[in-house]
Amino acid sequence: MPGWTDVVSIADTGFTTVAVRADGTVWSYGTNVGGSLGHGFLERRHASQPRPVAGIDDARAVYGNGPTFYVVRGDGTVTAWGHDRFLVNGGRREGRGGVPVPRRVPGTGDVVAMGPGRLNAFVLRSDGRVRGWGVNITAVLGDTRDTRPTTIARLCGVAGVASAGGAVVAVTADGRVRAWGSSAHGLLGSEPLGGRSGRPVLVAGLRDVVQVAGGQRRRLRAGP
């Protein structure tokens, strides 16, 4: 990408690409979906060249899921923008439509990394705890009806976190993996399939793990 140098973090959601440069600035290009470019407009437009996202000069990393982006900043807070107003607002239902300019996510602080999903988002704090917000139909936020940032109980010493469809996985400093949420497709690594757990469970057979990642289940259709 001409002129796009010193990139230290990048996220792509299929429509829009966003990057963090070494100087802490954030740049985006692609198709704007509900404000995903962060350039101040909601209508669908295409930007063929990267432009800076205004108001951010201390970014550490960027994460995206769907047309929504999150930036972890130097002070440990999270700034977000894009299509999903509910998640940008930290699980608070406030109006409709996207958020076209960066906005601080309420209830976030001391954040070092993230694991956003399509219906919820999770942050890893510097103290090794995980907080999440959003839709909780599969108990990924634990035993609560609240949609706002909630600390995941019985989970500490976390080194990495990732959303995986209706479940969440985390690797702890001892190299073990724990998961919680829906077990409909074996995402908790245990038998029998089905059910859910709002309490993180140890995934058997995994040791010395240093990183976790998650994807979304897709329904495949056979050709003719």
Side-chain angles (χ1 to χ4, degrees), residues 10-92:
I10 193 166
D12 179 88
T13 61
F15 298 98
T16 312
T17 302
V18 178
V20 173
R21 299 182 64 180
D23 62 1
T25 59
V26 178
W27 297 66
S28 67
Y29 77 97
T31 301
N32 188 64
V33 180
S36 60
L37 285 175
H39 293 165
F41 50 86
L42 290 171
E43 61 269 22
R44 201 176 187 92
R45 299 184 191 175
H46 183 74
S48 59
Q49 296 294 326
R51 287 177 48 196
V53 177
I56 305 176
D57 58 8
D58 61 346
R60 291 180 176 175
V62 61
Y63 302 82
N65 200 304
T68 305
F69 289 91
Y70 308 83
V71 167
V72 176
R73 305 187 65 165
D75 62 359
T77 61
V78 174
T79 292
W81 68 91
H83 179 266
D84 199 325
R85 177 180 291 267
F86 174 62
L87 292 180
V88 171
N89 286 341
R92 290 170 170 80

Side-chain angles (χ1 to χ4, degrees), residues 74-144:
D75 62 359
T77 61
V78 174
T79 292
W81 68 91
H83 179 266
D84 199 325
R85 177 180 291 267
F86 174 62
L87 292 180
V88 171
N89 286 341
R92 290 170 170 80
R93 302 189 184 280
E94 176 188 296
R96 297 184 178 182
V99 178
V101 293
R103 178 183 297 182
R104 178 173 174 174
V105 179
T108 60
D110 297 322
V111 176
V112 295
M114 288 193 66
R118 289 192 174 275
L119 300 178
N120 31 58
F122 296 85
V123 294
L124 171 61
R125 291 168 46 95
S126 60
D127 61 3
R129 304 301 295 269
V130 173
R131 286 174 64 81
W133 66 93
V135 177
N136 194 35
I137 57 176
T138 58
V140 288
L141 302 182
D143 185 19
T144 178

Side-chain angles (χ1 to χ4, degrees), residues 148-205:
R148 293 171 296 181
T150 302
T151 299
I152 306 303
R154 303 180 181 88
L155 185 67
C156 59
V158 176
V161 63
S163 296
V168 185
V169 292
V171 57
T172 51
D174 60 2
R176 309 296 291 274
V177 174
R178 286 167 172 78
W180 64 99
S182 172
S183 189
H185 306 289
L187 292 176
L188 302 188
S190 60
E191 297 285 351
L193 301 183
R196 64 186 186 184
S197 173
R199 177 184 299 184
V201 297
L202 183 67
V203 179

